[in-house]
Amino acid sequence: MATATSSFDDPNPDSHHVAAATWGGRVRVWKKIFTTALSERLVYRGDFALGTLMRFLPIVTQIFLWWAIYDSIAASQAAEKMVESAVGGSELDPSTDAVQIGGFGFRDMVAYYLITMLARAFSSMPGLASGIALQIREGEIKRYLIQPIDLLSFLLINRIAHKVAYYAIAIAPFGLVFYLCRDYFVGGFPPPHLFIAFLGSLVMGFLIGFFLEAAIGMIGFWFLEVSSLLFLYMLFSFFLSGHMFPISLLPDSIEWFVNLLPLKYLAYFPAAVFLGKIPDEDLPMEMAIEAAWLTFFIVVCRWSYSRGVARYSGYGG
């Protein structure tokens, strides 16, 4: 089969020039994919803005639910001990601020859910695994085998363009909601080293979410249908990533096991870093473990793709 020749190839290359031209060509291709995908995503900017606001509505239910829980516990403690609750602030019921659950006060809990929604917006990859499996099943995967475009790079750049378009549009709704809820952040803005760690955890959470779901999609090379497996993953991710509640609320006998899983880096860990719930002496190790999980899923995803392509067969037009 004839090898496709890039328009950026040098006709008389030496070894170094070939490498430079190859990487230059790749960067141009990636830039073209990114700008095209970004333009496509910006078509739906109204949907992004409205969808962002709608995603904050469930947190109203969460605020009332947790307020009732904290208030009930505070009332019970007051009745039993016959003491007044020590409080701070003036806008909330002071009795709720005296109660701690899993290291979270009432305001911390509300702030946690706000940050968690931000983290999940980074790490969620709707339709990625099912889309890869569908392309394999329908034979669309063959276009990546005959064109000089890497499947994983193409999908990753598309997801980056999606996130850039989403946050460019959603920054106003996010800013409005966080401004209205600023009193719930009792610790204020985190110090610079925590904020840098928070940004790093968001970026690695995005990449872990991408390569983890892409690896699930690669199972389509061996099984025609992955929807059941994907549903199981989504179920565990919902409860064990910290999206539903902070992991520190789990019993000690379960929490240690959940902390061994990579799912907490999709939601719980970035929020805990921002709120200062991770001790400074543990933060470097936790960041290293998150980087190790990211490396692991990159290797698994690449290996699965190479092995899947090796056994893939396409017939017909």
Side-chain angles (χ1 to χ4, degrees):
M1 185 176 66
T3 303
T5 302
S6 167
S7 60
F8 308 111
D9 285 344
D10 191 324
N12 298 299
D14 54 29
S15 58
H16 296 290
H17 201 177
V18 168
T22 301
W23 278 104
R26 288 180 181 178
V27 171
R28 293 187 186 188
V29 171
W30 293 340
K31 182 180 178 182
K32 190 67 177 178
I33 294 172
F34 177 80
T35 54
T36 303
L38 184 61
S39 299
E40 290 177 350
R41 299 295 181 180
L42 287 176
V43 172
Y44 306 102
R45 53 188 178 276
D47 179 69
F48 281 155
L50 183 61
T52 302
L53 276 177
M54 294 301 104
R55 287 187 183 92
F56 282 108
L57 291 182
I59 200 172
V60 176
T61 305
Q62 295 282 355
I63 290 175
F64 282 113
L65 172 63
W66 283 105
W67 182 86
I69 293 173
Y70 277 87
D71 189 58
S72 175
I73 294 175
S76 175
Q77 289 178 347
E80 291 177 358
K81 299 179 180 178
M82 300 297 290
V83 295
E84 295 182 357
S85 301
V87 297
S90 58
E91 297 182 3
L92 298 174
D93 184 346
S95 62
T96 58
D97 275 355
V99 178
Q100 296 281 319
I101 302 177
F104 286 80
F106 173 67
R107 297 192 188 200
D108 281 338
M109 191 64 75
V110 176
Y112 172 82
Y113 278 107
L114 290 171
I115 299 296
T116 298
M117 294 190 68
L118 183 66
R120 286 294 298 169
F122 265 84
S123 62
S124 64
M125 300 289 159
L128 177 61
S130 58
I132 293 174
L134 179 63
Q135 290 192 62
I136 296 171
R137 187 169 65 248
E138 299 293 330
E140 297 177 11
I141 199 80
K142 63 178 180 291
R143 63 178 172 172
Y144 299 102
L145 306 180
I146 60 177
Q147 295 178 358
I149 299 176
D150 174 62
L151 168 66
L152 290 174
S153 299
F154 178 81
L155 294 176
L156 178 59
I157 294 171
N158 264 278
R159 290 288 165 168
I160 292 174
H162 173 85
K163 299 299 182 185
V164 170
Y166 175 79
Y167 281 104
I169 302 302
I171 188 170
F174 267 110
L176 174 64
V177 172
F178 275 78
Y179 175 77
L180 295 176
C181 298
R182 61 190 183 282
D183 289 337
Y184 290 108
F185 292 86
V186 292
F189 200 79
H193 74 284
L194 284 186
F195 186 66
I196 293 173
F198 167 68
L199 294 179
S201 67
L202 285 181
V203 172
M204 286 196 286
F206 162 75
L207 293 173
I208 287 176
F210 175 83
F211 285 103
L212 196 160
E213 292 206 25
I216 295 175
M218 295 301 169
I219 297 176
F221 280 111
W222 288 268
F223 298 95
L224 289 178
E225 186 56 66
V226 300
S227 56
S228 297
L229 181 63
L230 188 58
F231 175 78
L232 191 63
Y233 161 71
M234 296 300 293
L235 184 65
F236 279 104
S237 176
F238 186 74
F239 286 104
L240 303 182
S241 68
H243 180 65
M244 188 70 179
F245 51 81
I247 293 174
S248 58
L249 267 62
L250 291 170
D252 292 341
S253 58
I254 300 175
E255 183 185 354
W256 73 269
F257 175 72
V258 175
N259 276 319
L260 297 177
L261 303 176
L263 297 177
K264 72 173 184 178
Y265 298 106
L266 302 179
Y268 170 78
F269 184 68
V273 170
F274 189 92
L275 298 174
K277 301 299 181 184
I278 306 294
D280 283 353
E281 60 271 21
D282 296 338
L283 187 57
M285 179 57 70
E286 288 287 351
M287 296 294 291
I289 294 174
E290 184 175 13
W293 274 117
L294 172 58
T295 304
F296 171 78
F297 283 115
I298 290 175
V299 172
V300 168
C301 196
R302 281 290 175 191
W303 181 83
S304 302
Y305 181 53
S306 63
R307 297 294 297 173
V309 168
R311 74 186 305 274
Y312 176 78
S313 297
Y315 301 94

